[in-house]
Amino acid sequence: MDLNHLVFYYLALGMTIPGILAVISRNPVHAVLWVLVLILHQALLLYTLGSEFLTAIQIIVYAGAVLVLFLFIVYMINLRLEERWKVFVRRSGIGLILIFIFVFLLFKTISVFLALVPAFKPKLPYDLAQASNLVWIARYLFTHYLLQFELIGVILLIVVLGAVFILKKLQEVKNDSF
Amino acid sequence: MIPFEYYVYLSLLLFCIGLVGVMLRRNLIILLVSLEIMMNALIVLFSAISRYSNDTTGYVVVFFLIALAAAEAGVGLSLVVLLYRSLKKIYTEDINYYRG
């Protein structure tokens, strides 16, 4: 067992165990903090996959923006009801059945997917070792995926407009206690 | 080098954890957190594909995925705040008005 495998196993454990703990923890603050641990390990995993730019983006956007937003909302909505309930999951049989069907289908189709792996071919005949990862991502983004890049900008603008709209709705809500 | 299958199984495991969270939790915020975990599974899968096929397309898809996850978290959390302010409820059973 060499160092690559050790690092991979550590990162895999550091992603799955906080994921499970985030899903089963009663306190939402603990759940969000466990997801933070998951995301930091995942950033390291992206680094071992050879993409330092995505590591930086992952830490800045996920850990810096999205999870802080989650924590802010959790602190704003201070509901401690769930910690007092004995059963804090939905007891829905249909959900469990759907999970089992979905996991079964995933494990059935994963062998088909893995059979496709030797057929992976680069879409464009560039040698990735010629330049840094960031150079290639920028080149792809601003040439081949320019339309998608602009569409992401439009989507984020729509999100901002939607948040402002919801905020206007909030001011119309009566009987506001805080 | 680590086999590609390991990344696929890691991604599958994370996706299943997120799926269990979405299907079985009551709290809407934890439901959104589980959606983020599912997005992270996709990020792992796409970057592994990109690494093992020596192509940058998967990294670009990961870039778009991170942007979309931020957008989804913004919309979802603002809806949760609206729901909490107007109904004082964020548990899925309390707001399930249209049970068929």
Side-chain angles (χ1 to χ4, degrees), chain A:
Chain A
M1 185 182 285
D2 57 346
L3 193 61
N4 276 334
H5 282 78
L6 275 181
V7 170
F8 176 76
Y9 289 142
Y10 166 66
L11 291 177
L13 278 181
M15 287 173 70
T16 50
I17 291 173
I20 293 170
L21 286 174
V23 166
I24 67 172
S25 69
R26 280 167 186 256
N27 196 341
V29 179
H30 292 170
V32 175
L33 291 179
W34 280 121
V35 173
L36 180 65
V37 174
L38 187 153
I39 279 170
L40 292 178
H41 280 98
Q42 191 188 354
L44 277 180
L45 187 78
L46 289 181
Y47 189 78
T48 62
L49 280 170
S51 169
E52 63 278 355
F53 172 66
L54 289 178
T55 304
I57 287 290
Q58 174 98 6
I59 289 178
I60 291 169
V61 174
Y62 259 114
V66 173
L67 285 184
V68 170
L69 194 65
F70 270 105
L71 265 186
F72 181 69
I73 300 296
V74 168
Y75 282 133
M76 206 170 108
I77 300 172
N78 193 11
L79 281 185
R80 288 300 182 87
L81 190 61
E82 202 168 29
E83 294 175 35
R84 280 185 265 126
W85 285 346
K86 210 160 192 167
V87 179
F88 63 101
V89 296
R90 266 181 283 171
R91 274 172 292 182
S92 66
I94 210 158
L96 277 176
I97 293 170
L98 277 179
I99 287 173
F100 281 128
I101 291 174
F102 200 78
V103 170
F104 177 71
L105 287 180
L106 274 177
F107 274 96
K108 288 293 270 189
T109 53
I110 201 128
S111 58
V112 181
F113 178 70
L114 286 176
L116 287 177
V117 169
F120 281 168
K121 289 233 169 38
K123 195 177 161 199
L124 294 177
Y126 293 146
D127 187 12
L128 287 185
Q130 274 180 1
S132 133
N133 191 264
L134 178 56
V135 173
W136 291 118
I137 290 178
R139 202 168 285 177
Y140 268 66
L141 265 186
F142 292 117
T143 55
H144 294 86
Y145 296 100
L146 188 62
L147 176 65
Q148 288 88 337
F149 186 64
E150 301 287 339
L151 278 178
I152 284 288
V154 172
I155 286 172
L156 287 173
L157 179 70
I158 290 172
V159 167
V160 172
L161 290 181
V164 171
F165 179 73
I166 288 172
L167 201 71
K168 276 180 74 74
K169 279 267 184 196
L170 269 182
Q171 291 169 350
E172 296 164 6
V173 170
K174 302 280 187 275
N175 301 325
D176 208 348
S177 65
F178 54 88

